[in-house]
Amino acid sequence: MSDSSPLFMAGANTVEEQRARWERKRSRTAKELLETEHNYLEQLDLVVTFFVTILKAKGTLKSAVLESIFGPLEPIYSASQVLSLHLERGNLALGLENFCQNLELYGQYAENLEEANKTLNEQLRKNKSFRRFKKLQESRPQFQGKKLEDLLPLPLQRLHQYKHFLRDLLENTSPDSAECQKLASMILPIDAEAVKSVSEVSQWVQDIIRKRENSLQLLRVQKLLKGQKTQVLTPGRWYIREGWLLVVPSKGEELKHRMFFLFSDIFIATKPCHPLHLLNSKKLACQAVYPLHQCVVDKVFGHTKSQGGLLSVSLPIPASGHISGECHRVDQTLFAFQLSFPHKTLLLMSSDQEDIDDWYRSLTAAVR
């Protein structure tokens, strides 16, 4: 078949059209990366110029406190300036190469962010001059109503954006494009390495954020419980979910509303403290802590569309809408599942099918 045959020409046109589409998408992505980088720099500049630089000059905060609040923000800002300059000049490959060398700064910044917020709040409570200074700086028109607290998480948000920009650039680079030939296959390895590096650091940052959020959840639940006998704050423990469920008592008593907390290693049953208690009226009393490694999760009473079984019961409903108080009885369909432990069996129910399904899935996954 000659190179001038209609079939060959059609194939060549298709390849050229694909290359053109790649180039258009790549150009749009590069343009958007540059535009958003400029916006990111403008916001970082607010923090560096109106806070870090002036605070260093004034000595309002000790250097250790300043470092605790802002961490490696200045070198992150400098790295972004360099990347922006390369992008403006069309030096995408060189810009990405330099950028990858500074990715560790973002991980360090993420690790420090919780301490930064803690130190910032502490200084706002104790340091009157800093509190006044912060309010004055935030009132500048350049801030457009933004607070320092709004600007500090920016590097972590930007890191997530970088990951998607670089993936788009890599996916829309033709393997045999003129640019790649010109750079002697330089840009593709750099793009690929950039995507890999950003993804790894992004995952590192996400892990830090997840651990911080988990710690806050553990602390919240610990504060909800009366007393300190039940230790929720334990290294390696992960919060999964919580919610109200109905418990079927073993002695044929009425169903009881109980609040349950599911963690990666334990399942906690609680009940509300007396509403008139002076100290604990808004707290929960721990009734039992069940280790999940001894737990078996079962469906009960046949199969339905729900993960749990289906029951029809006469249920006491508080007339006031609260957990305790005068009750009347109504017939209600409930969904149920059973938890079996060596010395205890729990039959748990809810009228919400989606809720009971989620409990069943969460518990099944946790005990594996």
Side-chain angles (χ1 to χ4, degrees), residues 322-335:
H322 298 295
I323 293 175
S324 58
E326 183 182 351
C327 295
H328 62 277
R329 305 186 72 87
V330 297
D331 291 333
Q332 188 168 3
T333 299
L334 296 177
F335 301 91

Side-chain angles (χ1 to χ4, degrees), residues 39-181:
N39 182 56
Y40 172 54
L41 269 173
E42 288 175 4
Q43 295 184 81
L44 284 187
D45 185 68
L46 293 177
V47 182
V48 173
T49 301
F50 294 107
F51 278 95
V52 181
T53 303
I54 297 177
L55 286 170
K56 281 184 177 180
K58 289 169 64 71
T60 306
L61 299 177
K62 295 180 180 179
S63 58
V65 174
L66 201 65
E67 177 66 23
S68 178
I69 294 176
F70 299 103
L73 187 65
E74 283 186 295
I76 286 175
Y77 176 62
S78 298
S80 188
Q81 284 180 310
V82 173
L83 175 60
S84 179
L85 185 62
H86 285 302
L87 293 177
E88 289 169 0
R89 295 175 177 175
N91 298 330
L92 183 60
L94 186 56
L96 294 178
E97 184 177 28
N98 287 327
F99 173 75
C100 288
Q101 294 172 3
N102 292 285
L103 278 174
E104 190 173 342
L105 294 171
Y106 283 83
Q108 295 170 2
Y109 191 83
E111 288 185 325
N112 182 66
L113 192 58
E114 183 177 5
E115 184 64 28
N117 289 323
K118 180 180 176 182
T119 305
L120 176 60
N121 291 328
E122 183 180 343
Q123 290 300 311
L124 289 173
R125 288 195 308 269
K126 297 180 178 180
N127 193 327
K128 185 177 179 180
S129 60
F130 174 66
R131 188 164 62 245
R132 216 168 31 232
F133 171 80
K134 178 177 178 289
K135 186 176 180 180
L136 176 65
Q137 299 302 79
E138 291 171 345
S139 67
R140 292 175 178 271
Q142 295 95 323
F143 281 77
Q144 299 179 341
K146 294 186 180 73
K147 304 292 184 184
L148 179 59
E149 294 88 339
D150 302 325
L151 298 172
L152 286 178
L154 283 175
L156 306 189
Q157 297 166 8
R158 185 58 177 167
L159 180 66
H160 185 69
Q161 294 171 355
Y162 282 142
K163 180 173 68 173
H164 293 288
F165 276 126
L166 292 174
R167 279 180 177 168
D168 287 346
L169 286 170
L170 181 59
E171 289 171 0
N172 291 294
T173 298
S174 173
D176 57 351
S177 67
E179 183 179 19
C180 282
Q181 293 174 3

